[in-house]
């Protein structure tokens, strides 16, 4: 059984890990999908999307989800809850992506994993590392006989006893799942290895990379930033913006999205709700005072049973109870602590075998282990000690001289138990019979300590029963909040009407723009799937949502904008484009002004005002990406290397301005006989990107349509 348990843990992690790593590049959308199925929209269309031309039916998707739920149940011994289900649904979608988009590519190139290969990975010459780690003998070595015994267990009749049979079936299911994923992982590896074989780096590319890394140029440059040209000198028309938009539509591709405005009606407890909880706690306090079985009574009546009966010492007592109240039988409360009413009863005061104490210290470290360095540190520590004895503040001296993390707290170490500090320090504190400054410094391996004992050792314990009740909203309060929200949503007609009514009622209107179909968040609402999915299923501009309960609020939303998949409309990106086009036109203007200019770079710069700068670099390389004054501008740096020594470049339009370079001197790196190292570096870079590039290419070619918002 121990062996089966080990296999369960290790294999589950591997199976889930493989799916998440191998398919992560195929996740569609910016977030995980939500929970809570809704009726499908669209008549008889029960699909949740399509992958590579294959329609994904609701049943197919739900079957994949069920697989993940089963795996979760076997892994954690419980059914997944609402928090886990979004992740499991995403894993299910990734499995469907694998089946419909990736595996067909394997088949096209003839990749398959035979049963013999799977056998080899399980008990042959190339055993998978997860198998090795799961089947080890007492010495920690892989034992193939254990693998055979484990597999043979499934070739025998299932046990008759129900519990044993359930464990046998669970293990068999897990083993079969592992074998499937083992084969899938090998398929993926074969495919990527096949693609890696197609990458190649020529000798010329390797030599060029060597020079890119090692050729050094000495340059001077003139830089005129775009902001050196006033807005009045440049005119950007709508035609200019539209022309740029037409040329660059691909940059503004977008997924289907919705924008919403929404208001919140908080569901918060009323004063009457608070009074009701206090009244209930008052009754419980009376009963707690007289009950004989304090611990059971507190556990049965508290919202937080795990802390309803605890033993404390002076170092960890709740801050809500004072030293004078620590008498057996004393009951405190009800009192308010945040949003919770509490009642406490001191059940018992006793003694423990472990002592606690409290102290502050100032640590003076020595610079080295020499006797001279230690003497210097000791003399410094004693000098500070004498200053404190003379009336100086211990806490201020700790802040001034302390060398550990307690310095900012005035040296306060808080309460600590015996065994927590190094021996010399602990002995000094725990031997103290009264509070106050110790007469001499204490040496430990860390340095010299000045110690102020703020509480002598004590082993008193306090058993305390606590009843907590969080103030929650009553049904009446919830109903009243819903009534107000529902009244707001009634008879609204459009965005303007929505916002005007919100203004009249003094409600804040929140904006959630460009939401994608799979998103969960709306600003500070972490799980707003119910509203977001409604917006994609039913929402049209101006349509108002039903009242939805989200994280302690009733939420009403109105759709303010909807975008279909494709290029964003010109009007949507017009202002985003404007500064780009403006800089393009400024760049063209500056090129005209600079072209044909003669004189030194400093002389040319003077004609453009104080914003124009002249700089130099004595060690510029072509693979650099930035320069002082210019900043990030690989285009300009590349242009600098387009001329030979003694020449000046034409004006270059860069990221943030226009530059002219003078090549003072170019020192090529000496030729070397073997460029293999640079060839290998380039090859490794190409090989490392193969997996990403191919998954991106397959995803784009698969034309994935994710319509899961119809359900969640």
């Amino acid at each position: 059984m121990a062996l089966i348990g080990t296999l369960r843990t290790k294999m589950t992690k591997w199976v889930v890990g493989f799916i998440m790593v191998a398919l992560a590049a195929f996740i569609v959308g910016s977030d995980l999908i939500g929970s809570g199925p809704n009726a499908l929209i669209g008549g008889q269309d029960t699909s949740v999307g399509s992958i590579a031309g294959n329609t994904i039916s609701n049943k197919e998707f739900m079957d994949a989800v069920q697989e993940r739920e089963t795996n979760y149940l076997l892994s954690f011994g419980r059914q997944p809850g609402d928090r886990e289900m979004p992740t499991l649904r995403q894993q299910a979608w990734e499995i469907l992506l694998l089946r419909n988009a990736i595996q067909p590519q394997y088949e096209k190139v003839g990749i398959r994993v035979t049963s013999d290969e799977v056998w080899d990975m399980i008990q042959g010459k190339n055993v998978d590392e997860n198998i090795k780690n799961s089947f080890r003998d007492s010495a920690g070595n892989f034992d193939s006989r254990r693998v055979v015994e484990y597999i043979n267990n499934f070739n025998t009749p299932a046990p008759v006893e129900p519990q044993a049979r359930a464990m046998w079936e669970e293990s068999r299911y897990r083993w079969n799942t592992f074998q499937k994923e083992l084969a899938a992982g090998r398929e993926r590896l074969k495919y990527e290895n096949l693609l890696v074989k197609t990458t190649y780096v020529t000798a010329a590319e390797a030599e060029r990379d060597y020079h890119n890394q090692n050729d050094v140029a000495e340059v001077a440059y003139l830089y005129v930033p775009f902001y050196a040209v006033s807005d009045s000198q440049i005119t950007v028309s709508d035609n200019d913006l539209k022309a740029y938009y037409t040329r660059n539509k691909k940059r503004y591709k977008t997924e289907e999205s919705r924008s919403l405005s929404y208001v919140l009606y908080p569901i918060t407890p009323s004063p009457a709700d608070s009074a009701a909880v206090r009244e209930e706690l008052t009754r419980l306090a009376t009963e707690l005072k007289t009950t004989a079985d304090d611990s059971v009574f507190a556990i049965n009546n508290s919202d937080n049973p795990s802390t309803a009966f605890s033993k404390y010492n002076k170092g960890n007592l709740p801050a809500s109870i004072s030293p004078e109240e620590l008498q057996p039988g004393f009951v405190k409360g009800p009192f308010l602590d945040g949003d919770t009413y509490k009642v406490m009863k001191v059940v018992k005061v006793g003694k423990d075998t472990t002592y606690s104490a409290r102290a502050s210290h100032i640590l003076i470290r020595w610079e080295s282990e020499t006797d001279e360095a230690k003497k210097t540190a000791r003399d410094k520590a004693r000098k500070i000690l004498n200053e404190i004895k003379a009336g100086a503040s211990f806490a201020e001296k700790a802040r001034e001289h302390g060398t550990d993390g307690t310095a900012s707290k005035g040296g306060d170490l808080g309460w600590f138990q015996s065994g927590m500090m190094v021996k010399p320090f602990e002995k000094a504190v725990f031997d103290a019979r009264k509070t106050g400054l110790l007469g001499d410094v204490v040496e430990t391996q860390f340095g010299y300590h000045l110690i102020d004992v703020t509480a002598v050792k004590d082993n008193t314990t306090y058993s305390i029963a606590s009843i907590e009740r969080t103030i929650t909203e009553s049904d009446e309060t919830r109903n009243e909040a819903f009534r107000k929200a529902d009244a707001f949503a009634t008879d609204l007609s459009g965005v303007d009407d929505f916002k005007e009514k919100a203004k009249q009622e003094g409600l804040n209107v929140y904006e959630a723009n460009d939401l994608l179909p799979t998103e969960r968040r709306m600003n500070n609402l972490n799980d707003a799937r119910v509203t977001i999915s409604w917006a994609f299923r039913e929402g049209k501009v101006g349509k108002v949502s039903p009242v939805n309960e989200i994280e302690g609020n009733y939420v009403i939303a109105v759709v303010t904008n909807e975008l279909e998949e494709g290029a964003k409309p010109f009007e949507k990106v017009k202002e985003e484009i404007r500064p780009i086009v403006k800089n393009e036109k400024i760049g063209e203007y500056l090129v005209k002004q600079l072209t044909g200019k003669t004189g030194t770079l400093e002389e040319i710069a003077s004609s453009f005002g104080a914003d124009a700068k002249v700089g130099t670099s004595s060690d510029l390389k072509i693979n650099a990406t930035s320069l002082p004054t210019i900043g990030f501008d690989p285009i300009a740096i590349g242009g600098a290397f387009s001329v030979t020594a003694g020449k000046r470049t034409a004006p270059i339009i860069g990221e943030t301005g226009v530059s002219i370079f003078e090549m003072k001197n170019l020192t090529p790196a000496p030729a070397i006989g073997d460029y293999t190292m640079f060839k290998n570096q380039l090859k490794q870079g190409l090989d490392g990107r193969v997996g990403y590039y191919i998954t991106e290419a397959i995803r784009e070619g698969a034309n994935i349509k994710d319509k899961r918002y119809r359900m969640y």
Side-chain angles (χ1 to χ4, degrees):
M1 283 305 190
L3 184 61
I4 293 175
T6 300
L7 188 62
R8 170 188 301 173
T9 301
K10 293 182 180 292
M11 288 188 175
T12 298
K13 290 180 179 177
W14 185 87
V15 169
V16 174
F18 167 76
I19 293 173
M20 297 305 289
V21 172
L23 302 178
F26 289 86
I27 297 175
V28 179
S30 65
D31 206 342
L32 300 178
I33 63 174
S35 59
N38 295 288
L40 292 176
I41 303 301
Q44 297 302 312
D45 185 3
T46 59
S47 68
V48 294
S50 62
I51 302 171
N54 300 322
T55 298
I56 308 300
S57 68
N58 176 35
K59 181 181 183 305
E60 185 179 3
F61 178 63
M62 292 308 298
D63 286 346
V65 172
Q66 184 60 54
E67 288 181 21
R68 304 317 306 155
E69 288 188 57
T70 301
N71 184 275
Y72 185 95
L73 175 62
L74 295 177
S75 302
F76 299 101
R78 64 177 178 85
Q79 291 287 349
D82 290 342
R83 294 183 63 181
E84 293 84 18
M85 283 307 299
T87 301
L88 300 185
R89 293 190 189 107
Q90 186 62 32
Q91 291 178 4
W93 184 250
E94 291 162 1
I95 289 172
L96 294 173
L97 287 165
L98 171 66
R99 294 173 184 170
N100 290 274
I102 305 176
Q103 287 182 336
Q105 299 301 320
Y106 300 162
E107 295 168 5
K108 284 183 180 179
V109 294
I111 287 177
R112 65 190 185 94
V113 175
T114 66
S115 57
D116 288 342
E117 286 180 275
V118 174
W119 182 91
D120 185 55
M121 288 187 284
I122 293 173
Q123 50 183 311
K125 295 180 179 180
N126 301 289
V127 176
D128 180 80
E129 286 300 319
N130 294 282
I131 296 288
K132 289 182 179 179
N133 292 333
S134 297
F135 295 94
R136 295 186 181 276
D137 57 23
S138 57
N141 301 313
F142 170 62
D143 187 347
S144 60
R145 293 175 302 173
R146 294 195 172 197
V147 181
V148 175
E149 290 172 3
Y150 184 79
I151 297 173
N152 287 340
N153 177 57
F154 304 127
N155 296 325
T156 60
V160 176
E161 196 274 322
Q163 185 175 0
R165 183 182 182 89
M167 293 186 64
W168 182 87
E169 289 178 348
E170 172 189 329
S171 299
R172 183 178 63 175
Y173 175 88
R174 190 180 303 282
W175 178 249
N176 290 338
T177 300
F178 173 74
Q179 289 185 90
K180 290 177 184 177
E181 300 302 341
L182 193 63
R186 178 57 62 90
E187 279 185 329
R188 175 80 179 193
L189 184 62
K190 282 186 174 185
Y191 189 60
E192 289 194 359
N193 285 343
L194 179 65
L195 294 170
V196 164
K197 299 299 182 184
T198 67
T199 62
Y200 185 75
V201 177
T202 66
E205 288 173 319
E207 184 177 357
R208 182 177 63 198
D209 187 59
Y210 163 73
H211 284 288
N212 287 346
Q213 294 186 43
N214 295 284
D215 290 359
V216 177
E218 181 184 353
V219 299
Y221 53 89
L222 164 67
Y223 169 67
V224 185
F226 292 142
Y227 60 77
V229 179
S230 66
D231 291 347
S232 61
Q233 294 175 271
I234 301 297
T235 301
V236 178
S237 67
D238 273 7
N239 286 337
D240 295 326
L241 299 176
K242 288 177 181 176
Y244 178 88
Y245 172 76
T246 301
R247 294 194 309 270
N248 297 278
K249 264 192 174 182
K250 285 187 176 180
R251 293 187 181 182
Y252 301 101
K253 286 179 65 176
T254 182
E255 295 182 49
E256 184 181 11
S257 69
R258 299 288 185 271
S259 294
L260 305 175
S261 293
Y262 62 95
V263 296
L264 304 176
Y265 280 85
I267 309 169
T268 55
S270 67
D273 296 333
S274 177
V277 175
R278 181 179 176 85
E279 183 179 343
E280 173 69 6
L281 262 290
T282 300
R283 181 184 64 80
L284 291 173
T286 302
E287 294 183 34
L288 179 62
K289 190 169 187 176
T290 58
T291 187
D293 204 343
D294 320 79
S295 59
V296 174
F297 184 84
I299 290 169
N300 289 341
N301 287 281
S302 179
D303 285 352
N304 191 2
S306 62
T307 61
F309 189 78
S310 300
K311 182 184 286 188
Y312 301 92
N313 57 44
K314 285 190 175 180
N316 62 3
L317 273 167
S320 52
I321 194 162
S322 61
E324 57 270 16
E325 295 170 334
L326 294 171
Q327 303 299 322
F330 178 80
V331 175
K332 181 173 184 176
F335 60 91
L336 191 61
D337 184 4
D339 62 351
T340 301
Y341 274 110
K342 295 182 178 180
V343 171
M344 288 184 171
K345 178 181 180 180
V346 180
V347 176
K348 180 182 178 182
V349 177
K351 296 293 182 179
D352 198 351
T353 57
T354 302
Y355 284 84
S356 298
R358 184 172 186 174
S360 297
H361 82 138
I362 303 171
L363 173 62
I364 305 299
R365 303 179 191 271
W366 45 71
E367 296 294 331
S368 67
E369 294 292 332
T370 64
D371 291 341
E372 183 180 356
K374 288 187 175 183
K375 181 180 183 304
T376 300
R378 183 172 60 251
D379 290 346
K380 179 180 178 180
R382 284 176 172 164
K383 180 176 181 295
I384 298 169
L385 180 65
N386 289 331
E387 291 173 356
I388 296 171
K389 288 179 178 179
S393 166
F394 188 98
E396 289 303 318
K397 289 297 181 181
R399 293 186 181 94
E400 181 181 353
H401 298 289
T403 58
D404 69 347
T406 67
S408 61
K409 298 183 293 184
D412 185 19
L413 290 161
W415 286 87
F416 50 89
Q417 293 182 335
S418 54
M420 293 179 63
M421 299 295 181
V422 292
K423 287 295 183 183
F425 189 97
E426 179 181 298
K427 178 173 173 40
V429 173
F430 281 74
D431 283 354
R433 293 292 177 264
K434 63 180 180 178
T435 59
L437 183 69
L438 296 188
D440 198 2
V441 297
V442 175
E443 181 182 349
T444 71
Q445 66 260 43
F446 301 108
Y448 290 101
H449 303 259
L450 291 76
I451 302 175
D452 180 19
V453 179
T454 52
V456 296
K457 70 175 182 179
D458 190 290
N459 65 340
T460 306
T461 61
Y462 306 91
S463 298
I464 297 178
S466 304
I467 300 175
E468 300 180 9
R469 287 288 175 89
T470 301
I471 303 170
T472 57
E473 62 282 349
S474 62
D475 290 343
E476 291 79 5
T477 299
R478 295 177 62 85
N479 291 340
E480 178 62 16
F482 182 85
R483 185 193 64 76
K484 291 179 179 179
D486 190 53
F488 174 87
T490 302
D491 297 329
L492 286 175
S493 57
V495 178
D496 292 341
D497 193 24
F498 182 97
K499 293 186 175 181
E500 179 58 31
K501 192 169 183 179
K503 182 179 179 181
Q504 291 173 3
E505 296 196 12
L507 297 172
N508 291 324
V509 177
Y510 301 92
E511 306 294 335
N513 295 320
D514 302 321
L515 296 167
L516 300 178
T518 54
E519 285 196 78
R520 297 171 62 86
R521 291 177 60 97
M522 289 198 322
N523 299 325
N524 292 330
L525 299 176
N526 294 315
D527 192 359
R529 278 302 303 163
V530 63
T531 293
I532 295 172
S533 60
W534 163 84
F536 283 91
R537 286 197 316 271
E538 304 177 39
K540 300 294 180 184
V541 173
K543 186 164 185 178
V544 178
S545 75
V547 178
N548 292 313
E549 183 178 343
I550 302 174
E551 297 174 3
N553 298 279
Y554 287 123
V555 180
I556 307 102
V558 61
V559 179
T560 57
N561 189 42
E562 54 181 325
L563 286 179
E564 299 306 318
E565 184 178 5
K568 294 180 181 178
F570 169 71
E571 291 298 329
K572 182 78 173 175
V573 297
K574 179 178 177 179
E575 294 310 313
E576 180 183 345
I577 288 172
R578 188 179 298 278
I580 301 172
V581 175
K582 176 185 171 185
N583 285 343
E584 280 189 353
K585 299 198 77 172
I586 292 174
E588 293 166 359
Y589 170 80
L590 287 173
V591 167
K592 289 179 181 179
Q593 296 295 310
L594 287 165
T595 300
K597 289 275 188 182
T598 59
T600 66
L601 294 180
E602 287 79 8
E603 290 171 342
I604 298 173
S606 65
S607 64
F608 287 90
D611 292 324
K613 305 292 183 183
V614 174
T616 61
S617 175
S618 60
D619 59 351
L620 184 63
K621 296 179 180 180
I622 196 171
N623 63 353
T625 58
S626 63
L627 271 171
T629 304
I630 294 178
F632 178 81
D633 203 334
I635 295 174
I637 294 170
F641 283 82
S642 66
V643 295
T644 57
K647 299 293 183 180
R648 180 181 291 180
T649 68
I652 302 167
I653 301 176
E655 297 283 339
T656 59
V658 176
S659 307
I660 294 176
F661 285 81
E662 283 184 358
M663 180 65 72
K664 300 294 187 181
N665 188 40
L666 177 62
T667 306
I672 57 177
D674 186 2
Y675 296 96
T676 302
M677 182 179 76
F678 297 91
K679 185 173 184 177
N680 290 340
Q681 288 175 352
L682 291 173
K683 182 71 165 60
Q684 288 173 7
L686 289 172
D687 292 348
R689 294 190 292 271
V690 162
Y692 171 78
Y693 286 145
I694 191 58
T695 51
E696 286 295 297
I698 294 174
R699 182 174 71 173
E700 186 174 346
N703 190 27
I704 298 166
K705 303 293 183 184
D706 186 352
K707 301 292 184 183
R708 287 175 289 166
Y709 60 77
R710 291 176 168 179
M711 294 178 60
Y712 304 104

